[in-house]
Amino acid sequence: MLPGSWQGVLGEELDEDYFTELTEFVEKERAAGPVYPPRDEVFAALDATPFDQVKVLVLGQDPYHGAGQGHGLCFSVRPGVRTPPSLRNIYKELRDDLGHPVPDNGCLTPWARQGVLLLNSVLTVREAEPNSHKNQGWERFTDAVIRAVSDREQPAVFVLWGAYARKKLRLVDTTRHAVVEGAHPSPLSAKKFLGSRPFSQIDAALRAQGHDPVDWRIPDLAA
């Protein structure tokens, strides 16, 4: 279930009673109806970004709840799926901040492969019911992910957009890691998000930590 690079820091979580209960809950949910993402993509964010390669951690809330949308990376959708509103705002800000063109797709896998851990706080969701799997144990597991990155000697940049994500600041050792906070990119708070220049802040923090900045450009599928 858990990618190998994360076994050493998270393996014990899978042996805890809460994780057994969580697994049973999710399986009952899958038996009752569609649950996203599919089983083999629940840990896709951890699989795409190995533990020792995490340079940036972006925290989302829970997966997209529409058929074929989410694939285990926060804010990201499968190639060919319409770009959701929050990600459209992220792309607008990326264009205005760094001058990168808005891509024709919403697949953020290129970011994940460069060390950007695109982590949702809750890793599964019932179809058409946002937040339907909250408070079932995922938050305890993903808090352990955040702590594991925070406890590393190697510094990282934590990106906390919106009130929900910003509550996780307590899990981060801010004496060793950088934090970029701001409004959520959702249309409800877009006026506060747009113009906040988070990408240049992230890259500046990475340079200060001795990391290479992220190439934030997403290739067009039609190219």
Side-chain angles (χ1 to χ4, degrees):
M1 292 178 63
L2 200 61
S5 72
W6 293 89
Q7 283 282 357
V9 292
L10 295 176
E12 292 183 359
E13 294 294 319
L14 275 60
D15 296 328
E16 296 286 341
D17 289 344
Y18 87 88
F19 198 88
T20 300
E21 294 169 2
L22 169 62
T23 301
E24 292 172 352
F25 166 78
V26 174
E27 287 306 305
K28 287 179 182 178
E29 288 282 284
R30 290 192 189 279
V35 168
Y36 304 122
R39 285 185 186 86
D40 62 349
E41 292 182 321
V42 170
F43 294 123
L46 301 180
D47 190 46
T49 311
F51 174 64
D52 60 353
Q53 295 180 26
V54 176
K55 299 195 300 186
V56 180
L57 189 156
V58 178
L59 187 66
Q61 192 160 350
D62 71 336
Y64 294 119
H65 52 84
Q69 285 186 305
H71 58 127
L73 310 180
C74 74
F75 294 109
S76 181
V77 290
R78 298 178 190 279
V81 175
R82 179 179 171 84
T83 303
S86 291
L87 184 53
R88 288 203 297 269
N89 287 331
I90 290 172
Y91 283 162
K92 288 177 185 177
E93 183 58 20
L94 180 59
R95 177 196 62 200
D96 295 344
D97 188 358
L98 298 180
H100 296 327
V102 174
D104 66 2
N105 69 95
C107 182
L108 303 181
T109 300
W111 293 359
R113 289 174 176 163
Q114 294 179 74
V116 180
L117 178 60
L118 297 167
L119 180 72
N120 277 313
S121 182
V122 175
L123 299 187
T124 56
V125 68
R126 193 182 306 143
E127 183 178 50
E129 295 186 43
N131 295 317
S132 51
H133 286 188
K134 69 177 182 180
N135 299 327
Q136 297 294 333
W138 279 129
E139 295 90 342
R140 179 170 169 180
F141 176 78
T142 54
D143 280 0
V145 175
I146 296 169
R147 286 194 187 95
V149 177
S150 177
D151 288 347
R152 276 188 341 187
E153 183 176 346
Q154 182 184 14
V157 181
F158 290 80
V159 181
L160 307 177
W161 286 329
Y164 181 89
R166 293 168 83 170
K167 290 179 181 178
K168 304 294 184 176
L169 181 62
R170 60 185 171 78
L171 304 175
V172 180
D173 182 352
T174 57
T175 66
R176 294 189 298 112
H177 303 282
V179 178
V180 174
E181 296 183 72
H184 195 278
S186 122
L188 297 175
S189 51
K191 288 184 178 179
K192 293 181 179 179
F193 175 78
L194 296 173
S196 61
R197 299 180 63 84
F199 297 100
S200 54
Q201 292 182 57
I202 295 167
D203 282 350
L206 287 172
R207 290 188 183 96
Q209 293 173 346
H211 295 304
D212 291 331
V214 175
D215 182 354
W216 297 103
R217 293 170 295 181
I218 299 293
D220 283 342
L221 292 177

